PDB file of all heavy atoms in Angstrom:
ATOM      1  N   GLY A 376      21.430  24.793  24.389  1.00  0.00           N
ATOM      2  CA  GLY A 376      22.209  24.483  23.188  1.00  0.00           C
ATOM      3  C   GLY A 376      22.072  23.037  22.747  1.00  0.00           C
ATOM      4  O   GLY A 376      21.538  22.198  23.471  1.00  0.00           O
ATOM      5  N   LYS A 377      22.563  22.782  21.529  1.00  0.00           N
ATOM      6  CA  LYS A 377      22.636  21.389  21.069  1.00  0.00           C
ATOM      7  C   LYS A 377      23.878  20.795  21.724  1.00  0.00           C
ATOM      8  O   LYS A 377      24.958  20.724  21.128  1.00  0.00           O
ATOM      9  CB  LYS A 377      22.774  21.345  19.553  1.00  0.00           C
ATOM     10  CG  LYS A 377      21.493  21.714  18.844  1.00  0.00           C
ATOM     11  CD  LYS A 377      21.553  21.314  17.392  1.00  0.00           C
ATOM     12  CE  LYS A 377      20.310  21.842  16.742  1.00  0.00           C
ATOM     13  NZ  LYS A 377      19.712  21.195  15.714  1.00  0.00           N
ATOM     14  N   VAL A 378      23.719  20.444  22.987  1.00  0.00           N
ATOM     15  CA  VAL A 378      24.869  19.979  23.769  1.00  0.00           C
ATOM     16  C   VAL A 378      24.459  18.714  24.522  1.00  0.00           C
ATOM     17  O   VAL A 378      23.263  18.467  24.700  1.00  0.00           O
ATOM     18  CB  VAL A 378      25.299  21.058  24.795  1.00  0.00           C
ATOM     19  CG1 VAL A 378      25.831  22.288  24.087  1.00  0.00           C
ATOM     20  CG2 VAL A 378      24.154  21.444  25.718  1.00  0.00           C
ATOM     21  N   PRO A 379      25.443  17.923  24.981  1.00  0.00           N
ATOM     22  CA  PRO A 379      25.092  16.735  25.754  1.00  0.00           C
ATOM     23  C   PRO A 379      24.251  17.146  26.967  1.00  0.00           C
ATOM     24  O   PRO A 379      24.631  18.058  27.689  1.00  0.00           O
ATOM     25  CB  PRO A 379      26.452  16.179  26.196  1.00  0.00           C
ATOM     26  CG  PRO A 379      27.451  16.762  25.248  1.00  0.00           C
ATOM     27  CD  PRO A 379      26.898  18.082  24.827  1.00  0.00           C
ATOM     28  N   GLY A 380      23.120  16.526  27.131  1.00  0.00           N
ATOM     29  CA  GLY A 380      22.261  16.844  28.267  1.00  0.00           C
ATOM     30  C   GLY A 380      21.380  18.062  28.036  1.00  0.00           C
ATOM     31  O   GLY A 380      20.567  18.411  28.884  1.00  0.00           O
ATOM     32  N   GLY A 381      21.529  18.724  26.898  1.00  0.00           N
ATOM     33  CA  GLY A 381      20.703  19.902  26.596  1.00  0.00           C
ATOM     34  C   GLY A 381      19.301  19.479  26.221  1.00  0.00           C
ATOM     35  O   GLY A 381      19.115  18.704  25.293  1.00  0.00           O
ATOM     36  N   GLY A 382      18.316  19.963  26.968  1.00  0.00           N
ATOM     37  CA  GLY A 382      16.954  19.503  26.724  1.00  0.00           C
ATOM     38  C   GLY A 382      16.282  20.192  25.559  1.00  0.00           C
ATOM     39  O   GLY A 382      15.384  19.645  24.947  1.00  0.00           O
ATOM     40  N   TYR A 383      16.720  21.410  25.233  1.00  0.00           N
ATOM     41  CA  TYR A 383      15.982  22.192  24.239  1.00  0.00           C
ATOM     42  C   TYR A 383      16.538  22.114  22.822  1.00  0.00           C
ATOM     43  O   TYR A 383      15.799  22.279  21.858  1.00  0.00           O
ATOM     44  CB  TYR A 383      15.901  23.657  24.681  1.00  0.00           C
ATOM     45  CG  TYR A 383      14.946  23.860  25.837  1.00  0.00           C
ATOM     46  CD1 TYR A 383      15.378  23.753  27.150  1.00  0.00           C
ATOM     47  CD2 TYR A 383      13.613  24.125  25.596  1.00  0.00           C
ATOM     48  CE1 TYR A 383      14.493  23.924  28.205  1.00  0.00           C
ATOM     49  CE2 TYR A 383      12.724  24.301  26.650  1.00  0.00           C
ATOM     50  CZ  TYR A 383      13.173  24.201  27.955  1.00  0.00           C
ATOM     51  OH  TYR A 383      12.295  24.377  28.984  1.00  0.00           O
ATOM     52  N   ASN A 384      17.850  21.868  22.711  1.00  0.00           N
ATOM     53  CA  ASN A 384      18.462  21.719  21.386  1.00  0.00           C
ATOM     54  C   ASN A 384      18.207  22.881  20.434  1.00  0.00           C
ATOM     55  O   ASN A 384      17.947  22.672  19.245  1.00  0.00           O
ATOM     56  CB  ASN A 384      17.967  20.424  20.729  1.00  0.00           C
ATOM     57  CG  ASN A 384      18.714  19.221  21.268  1.00  0.00           C
ATOM     58  OD1 ASN A 384      19.946  19.202  21.285  1.00  0.00           O
ATOM     59  ND2 ASN A 384      17.977  18.238  21.750  1.00  0.00           N
ATOM     60  N   TRP A 385      18.251  24.080  20.946  1.00  0.00           N
ATOM     61  CA  TRP A 385      18.098  25.238  20.056  1.00  0.00           C
ATOM     62  C   TRP A 385      19.382  25.432  19.261  1.00  0.00           C
ATOM     63  O   TRP A 385      20.473  25.230  19.784  1.00  0.00           O
ATOM     64  CB  TRP A 385      17.827  26.509  20.876  1.00  0.00           C
ATOM     65  CG  TRP A 385      16.439  26.567  21.429  1.00  0.00           C
ATOM     66  CD1 TRP A 385      15.506  25.578  21.420  1.00  0.00           C
ATOM     67  CD2 TRP A 385      15.841  27.688  22.096  1.00  0.00           C
ATOM     68  NE1 TRP A 385      14.353  26.018  22.033  1.00  0.00           N
ATOM     69  CE2 TRP A 385      14.538  27.300  22.452  1.00  0.00           C
ATOM     70  CE3 TRP A 385      16.292  28.964  22.419  1.00  0.00           C
ATOM     71  CZ2 TRP A 385      13.663  28.154  23.119  1.00  0.00           C
ATOM     72  CZ3 TRP A 385      15.430  29.825  23.080  1.00  0.00           C
ATOM     73  CH2 TRP A 385      14.126  29.418  23.422  1.00  0.00           C
ATOM     74  N   ASN A 386      19.239  25.876  18.002  1.00  0.00           N
ATOM     75  CA  ASN A 386      20.442  26.126  17.211  1.00  0.00           C
ATOM     76  C   ASN A 386      21.038  27.497  17.566  1.00  0.00           C
ATOM     77  O   ASN A 386      20.426  28.287  18.287  1.00  0.00           O
ATOM     78  CB  ASN A 386      20.174  25.969  15.713  1.00  0.00           C
ATOM     79  CG  ASN A 386      19.159  26.975  15.207  1.00  0.00           C
ATOM     80  OD1 ASN A 386      18.978  28.036  15.794  1.00  0.00           O
ATOM     81  ND2 ASN A 386      18.495  26.650  14.112  1.00  0.00           N
ATOM     82  N   GLU A 387      22.213  27.743  17.024  1.00  0.00           N
ATOM     83  CA  GLU A 387      22.962  28.971  17.357  1.00  0.00           C
ATOM     84  C   GLU A 387      22.152  30.222  17.015  1.00  0.00           C
ATOM     85  O   GLU A 387      22.198  31.224  17.736  1.00  0.00           O
ATOM     86  CB  GLU A 387      24.292  29.016  16.600  1.00  0.00           C
ATOM     87  CG  GLU A 387      25.310  27.993  17.073  1.00  0.00           C
ATOM     88  CD  GLU A 387      25.193  26.664  16.352  1.00  0.00           C
ATOM     89  OE1 GLU A 387      24.086  26.332  15.863  1.00  0.00           O
ATOM     90  OE2 GLU A 387      26.200  25.953  16.271  1.00  0.00           O
ATOM     91  N   GLU A 388      21.426  30.160  15.904  1.00  0.00           N
ATOM     92  CA  GLU A 388      20.680  31.331  15.459  1.00  0.00           C
ATOM     93  C   GLU A 388      19.570  31.679  16.455  1.00  0.00           C
ATOM     94  O   GLU A 388      19.407  32.829  16.863  1.00  0.00           O
ATOM     95  CB  GLU A 388      20.085  31.043  14.082  1.00  0.00           C
ATOM     96  CG  GLU A 388      19.498  32.264  13.429  1.00  0.00           C
ATOM     97  CD  GLU A 388      19.095  32.020  11.986  1.00  0.00           C
ATOM     98  OE1 GLU A 388      18.674  30.885  11.682  1.00  0.00           O
ATOM     99  OE2 GLU A 388      19.212  32.952  11.188  1.00  0.00           O
ATOM    100  N   LYS A 389      18.825  30.661  16.865  1.00  0.00           N
ATOM    101  CA  LYS A 389      17.710  30.886  17.781  1.00  0.00           C
ATOM    102  C   LYS A 389      18.220  31.431  19.125  1.00  0.00           C
ATOM    103  O   LYS A 389      17.605  32.327  19.717  1.00  0.00           O
ATOM    104  CB  LYS A 389      16.972  29.555  17.977  1.00  0.00           C
ATOM    105  CG  LYS A 389      15.621  29.701  18.629  1.00  0.00           C
ATOM    106  CD  LYS A 389      14.793  28.437  18.466  1.00  0.00           C
ATOM    107  CE  LYS A 389      13.462  28.610  19.175  1.00  0.00           C
ATOM    108  NZ  LYS A 389      12.583  27.446  19.049  1.00  0.00           N
ATOM    109  N   ILE A 390      19.346  30.879  19.582  1.00  0.00           N
ATOM    110  CA  ILE A 390      19.929  31.362  20.842  1.00  0.00           C
ATOM    111  C   ILE A 390      20.369  32.811  20.707  1.00  0.00           C
ATOM    112  O   ILE A 390      20.121  33.644  21.594  1.00  0.00           O
ATOM    113  CB  ILE A 390      21.097  30.434  21.273  1.00  0.00           C
ATOM    114  CG1 ILE A 390      20.504  29.078  21.710  1.00  0.00           C
ATOM    115  CG2 ILE A 390      21.937  31.063  22.391  1.00  0.00           C
ATOM    116  CD1 ILE A 390      21.520  28.043  22.115  1.00  0.00           C
ATOM    117  N   SER A 391      20.986  33.154  19.556  1.00  0.00           N
ATOM    118  CA  SER A 391      21.432  34.543  19.357  1.00  0.00           C
ATOM    119  C   SER A 391      20.237  35.491  19.334  1.00  0.00           C
ATOM    120  O   SER A 391      20.310  36.608  19.848  1.00  0.00           O
ATOM    121  CB  SER A 391      22.267  34.669  18.077  1.00  0.00           C
ATOM    122  OG  SER A 391      21.442  34.580  16.933  1.00  0.00           O
TER     123      SER A 391
END
Side-chain angles (χ1 to χ4, degrees):
K377 287 195 186 212
V378 294
Y383 287 89
N384 280 308
W385 286 9
N386 63 24
E387 290 89 334
E388 190 172 33
K389 194 165 178 179
I390 290 178
S391 73

